[in-house]
Amino acid sequence: MLLESYIDVRQRSERICAPLKTEDYVVQPIVDVSPPKWHLGHSSWFFEQFILKPYQKGYQEFDANYNFVFNSYYETVGARVIRTNRGNLTRPSVDEVMGYRTHVDEAMRSLLHHADQLPQEIKELATLGLNHEEQHQELLLTDIKYILGHNPLFPPYYQNRSNGVLAYVQTSDKLTTERSVSIDEGLYQIGHNGQGFCFDNELSVHQVYIPSYSIHKQLVTNKEYLEFILDGGYQNFRFWHAEGWDWVKNNQIEAPLYWHKIDNVWQHYTFGGLQDINDSEPVCHVSYYEAAAYASWKGKRLPTEFEWETAADKINWGKRWEWTESAYLPYPNFKKLPGAIGEYNGKFMVNQMVLRGSSIATSPGHSRKTYRNFFHPYLRWQFTGIRLTN
Amino acid sequence: MLLESYIDVRQRSERICAPLKTEDYVVQPIVDVSPPKWHLGHSSWFFEQFILKPYQKGYQEFDANYNFVFNSYYETVGARVIRTNRGNLTRPSVDEVMGYRTHVDEAMRSLLHHADQLPQEIKELATLGLNHEEQHQELLLTDIKYILGHNPLFPPYYQNRSNGVLAYVQTSDKLTTERSVSIDEGLYQIGHNGQGFCFDNELSVHQVYIPSYSIHKQLVTNKEYLEFILDGGYQNFRFWHAEGWDWVKNNQIEAPLYWHKIDNVWQHYTFGGLQDINDSEPVCHVSYYEAAAYASWKGKRLPTEFEWETAADKINWGKRWEWTESAYLPYPNFKKLPGAIGEYNGKFMVNQMVLRGSSIATSPGHSRKTYRNFFHPYLRWQFTGIRLTN
Amino acid sequence: MLLESYIDVRQRSERICAPLKTEDYVVQPIVDVSPPKWHLGHSSWFFEQFILKPYQKGYQEFDANYNFVFNSYYETVGARVIRTNRGNLTRPSVDEVMGYRTHVDEAMRSLLHHADQLPQEIKELATLGLNHEEQHQELLLTDIKYILGHNPLFPPYYQNRSNGVLAYVQTSDKLTTERSVSIDEGLYQIGHNGQGFCFDNELSVHQVYIPSYSIHKQLVTNKEYLEFILDGGYQNFRFWHAEGWDWVKNNQIEAPLYWHKIDNVWQHYTFGGLQDINDSEPVCHVSYYEAAAYASWKGKRLPTEFEWETAADKINWGKRWEWTESAYLPYPNFKKLPGAIGEYNGKFMVNQMVLRGSSIATSPGHSRKTYRNFFHPYLRWQFTGIRLTN
Amino acid sequence: MLLESYIDVRQRSERICAPLKTEDYVVQPIVDVSPPKWHLGHSSWFFEQFILKPYQKGYQEFDANYNFVFNSYYETVGARVIRTNRGNLTRPSVDEVMGYRTHVDEAMRSLLHHADQLPQEIKELATLGLNHEEQHQELLLTDIKYILGHNPLFPPYYQNRSNGVLAYVQTSDKLTTERSVSIDEGLYQIGHNGQGFCFDNELSVHQVYIPSYSIHKQLVTNKEYLEFILDGGYQNFRFWHAEGWDWVKNNQIEAPLYWHKIDNVWQHYTFGGLQDINDSEPVCHVSYYEAAAYASWKGKRLPTEFEWETAADKINWGKRWEWTESAYLPYPNFKKLPGAIGEYNGKFMVNQMVLRGSSIATSPGHSRKTYRNFFHPYLRWQFTGIRLTN
């Protein structure tokens, strides 16, 4: 079953990239957006570095230089002759990266063929590697959108949705008859407690005391957000954090990412190309600063991640990552894993805000109510949205 | 009594500046350090802008131009011919600023002469203004230290401590027989509940559930921190947040601020000039990144602000602001005040970490266990220190 | 004959790119290095914009969006929805750019079929367009070298020299029996006076009075330059311009571009990959600052562009662009051409230094003694070298 | 006579600073503008470092730390504990700097008491030191103007001109009956040939061949420049160098430095405070980019430094430093002096443009037709103006 998962996950990455032209795999327009071929190589390198090289007897490394081409933030670095930026590396070529994937896949398949006889440690690392690749699948989609959506030709990613990599998220009608749901004060259990995989940052399960609150069942829509724009929301400092206001002014922000006012009409770039704004869709591609400013304008606030998790079963979620008013910090008894794997989450626990839920770009199996996503408050190339609380 | 407080607080600011030469009042070596004369003018402007102009009939504004010279972050700004940096403004001169203070003081004394007959609103604004000035008094001390401590002549601030502006903090021997104190899990009350002044960010009082923990009674000493340096703490990425590690490398950090290795011996700049490191003093002038890295090296962690507040009566504190593992976020039911005063705290509640306690530079009356100080994690020109928890 | 030239020049650009992989066409690692597909598109856009659209009746523009994708520095710009960086544009793809070239080529061939019957104006524009493309051919080669030479895999550009795009420069043995040649003081004629094409910056021909001088017949070799390195040339400010010294320190320069000290031996990246330094080859890829510092270390100086041109027939040149001690300024009676073409050279006549000669990467027909090349003094990705004078 | 000169020059520096408040001595609002007290200290350090310490037996250094506080660009540097910026150094105080001046003056007066018996070498160094201080006097005036003119209170430098440090420049009526003067082509002698002091960059005297030209007798006036502004000169890229155009856009330049449009009327800051523009005064505080753009708009050009020097006796000059179209380069046979003094001029001979003439702020004795002033093309805080040629 681990083998089947392995094959599924690995193929899905390549399916996501199938509509790309070779040129699209190469560039890094901003530091947060990586070249698609880097994602493909890096997720392979993870298996090679942490499983194949230490545990697979006789494994032949594909290319020793790939170690520092495809390493991401792991500080285990050998001597380098030159320092480089991901987005300027035309080699290895896409074909070579695909060759690397095949090489790793063959070794991994061989290793996983009798997965049930493998030590627990390897199975856990393989599961981590697959979850890691699934996280990069969402980044692949958002990075592809950024690359194509910042091209003056606005090329669409697909002609139709036939490649099936975007989630179809059904919303529950039952939940929407009331605008919001009220939760009583009390001690609630937070964190991952059940079976199945979770990341280290979801642990340990613990109790949090939450005062009573009321949370909206639906996300803020484009139509609602447009009212904020029309009311001068981007011109009035009162709604903004001081650093958010600096961000607005320094970057001349006046709408969500991908929105363009063309002939005085707001349009936005989508995977299908430039399109009119759909009023009833949840607003997308907003920063934490925008989310908080919108809430302030409305006289509301964003939920904490604990409020969100506690209410998760009673609200409609899954289309947008939802900014919370919680900073990304360790849970009680959070433990870094030993070794390089221990760099996974803990080292990022400063200066970032937690997002909860999942989006149409989230990989299957990454939609769970304890999942903690996190980004800097000024970033908005993910499929991010807003939910109000008070 | 408000009048007496007013006179005391205002005189204390000037007493802090008494040892300065005129030149020392002018510069702004980094964006976070303001010129002393700016602090003196800005704290006066606060009274003029928020009390005298709206409430004192017939009040004659000292100089209309001072409004944008001494405004800080309040976005209520009139038309400006030129944009300026605080540290390049040689005028108004120190004498003119002192004239401004006298002008404001006279009007305020007149207003406060029968303070008991004043509307509650004015009394609250005056109290806020005094607390605001006391906060700037601590900044005055830290900014003066920065200005003199970054001069190659290392001029001392005072020859002896006779101006009495630094707190003498006595530590309780009773508390120190045990190294740490254990606190049981439970629901604890957090926030300001009592009589007397508090800032908006200390409200509202609320319950927090805290798992059991153990917290050190004493701060980390210079001697203990030196072991971290000697053990290569600044050269090993494993102890650091990713952004902390970038900060170390980009700024070539290898010791706390003001430490200089001279002829292979660590010395540090103090208000009395360059001196040898005192082993038993609490380490000072460390960033959050350094505090967290030290804790990680020790296999411990920093306390949350809730743990700190809960244990406050059982630990020795008051010499250093103590970095906590809590981001600066609003308490439940936090409310911004209306108008410009509402910009006081809420707009800064992102990207900063909470510090608890107080320091030798803290103004009298600002040492309370619910006080929430906050700074960006890379800053360390305040008198900051480290307390361990586990 | 214009038609034949057109076909030759256009094919040569594609021959230069033939060894590339698709990925290599896309990136812009530094602002001065353009993506190869941009060069291919931009040189085509030049013909479309300045010849086909104004003069070819019924010409069908290939794609209106290409106007601002492939415009370079011409400020004639229409409305843009988004601003972009060349190096992040994955579309148009290489195939589409090649389609653009074919489209332009067909229209140009048709136009040039009876070139002798065309108005002089069009023929001159076509000649300018070809010279323009030939300039971009040298940039193509230097940019390709930069892209591949800054990849940690150090991929070679070619396996052998079979594509024949690099010049084979024969040196005259007759000239080399004496180390240097002396030129008498006098009035000499400078600038382009003869038949054939020249750029506007080579005009008008004029007289310059030159004191007597002596100029080396050969360029400085790698061996000679290595002595400068070994003598601490990069560590001694005395040899450097003040801004050169800042450049050395800020960029930690310690050798020419593409030189790497591997296992304590200097190697350099070449079109054939990493290779040992050849002692007798002229040193290459040095900035003006390095050229001037080397000369100062030798107790010599660089020639002025007038000295160079006057001595050109008596020295061996053609392997390296040679930094001169002349700033790039207009000749007497220099005239900007009217319209967008007038932006060609004049607008760059500040802050740059003149280089004379030509290099192994220079296109055929661009080696003439009146040719004025120019770059900022810190740039060195061109094939630049050093000749001494005194 | 050297002693009298010494006393005169040194006193003049202090007379220039007499109207300042202590605060005005301290700041450095941009890197090119030094604190007045730094100028006072640096010019003293020059005498101490290059004359008193090497030649005055028994000279007692004032303070060893001053060596790196008051060194400017001389790279002869000892070990430093901290790196500092001039504009953040509040100490040494103005009083201490004045004490330093007195200390140096006493030693220098003693040395120069029998100047005629001193070795030629010392006399030349003393003369160089005085010329050096006179150069800093002009910088003192321009830096003071910048410091006060960028203060939102626009404090005047003087109430009346009684301190007499600005030149009164009489223009010759005889010269102005014709608008321009024509000069025949020919070989002209350039450089300093006569008696008296000159800087190394004015040597050696040499011949330059100049084609015939016509040069305006008067500088461009405010009224003429205003026409350029009103005609959209700052909005039309055609008149600008490419780097000039970038400068205009990046800095949102729309008028000369110190010009402010207040209630829709152009005013400018002067030593006497904010004043209306005087139509008939020569335009002042323009960059090379603006000078060249204005000339281009007029269909003219700037003179070369050789044209200027050749015509100097036939034109009215002395109110503004005049941008020429000549880059700052060494004359034939230019020789760097040995030792630290050799850093005086040669190391700046790249990336700067030559200005000729002198201004109302120029020290007496620095107005000579061979004088070569030089600045980067974007700088305009000097008293710079425009003269047309064709």
Side-chain angles (χ1 to χ4, degrees), chain B residues 180-193:
Chain B
S180 60
V181 57
S182 293
I183 309 286
D184 289 339
E185 66 172 322
L187 270 177
Y188 291 94
Q189 185 172 295
I190 297 295
H192 193 267
N193 198 17

Side-chain angles (χ1 to χ4, degrees), chain B residues 279-322:
Chain B
D279 275 0
S280 61
E281 278 291 299
V283 69
C284 198
H285 296 299
V286 290
S287 69
Y288 170 78
Y289 295 130
E290 289 166 296
Y294 177 85
S296 172
W297 172 75
K298 269 294 199 189
K300 311 263 179 181
R301 61 179 177 84
L302 306 178
T304 67
E305 62 169 321
F306 311 113
E307 291 170 335
W308 192 95
E309 186 171 326
T310 301
D313 296 339
K314 300 176 178 163
I315 56 178
N316 269 316
W317 59 273
K319 287 189 163 178
R320 301 287 180 265
W321 284 104
E322 307 179 18

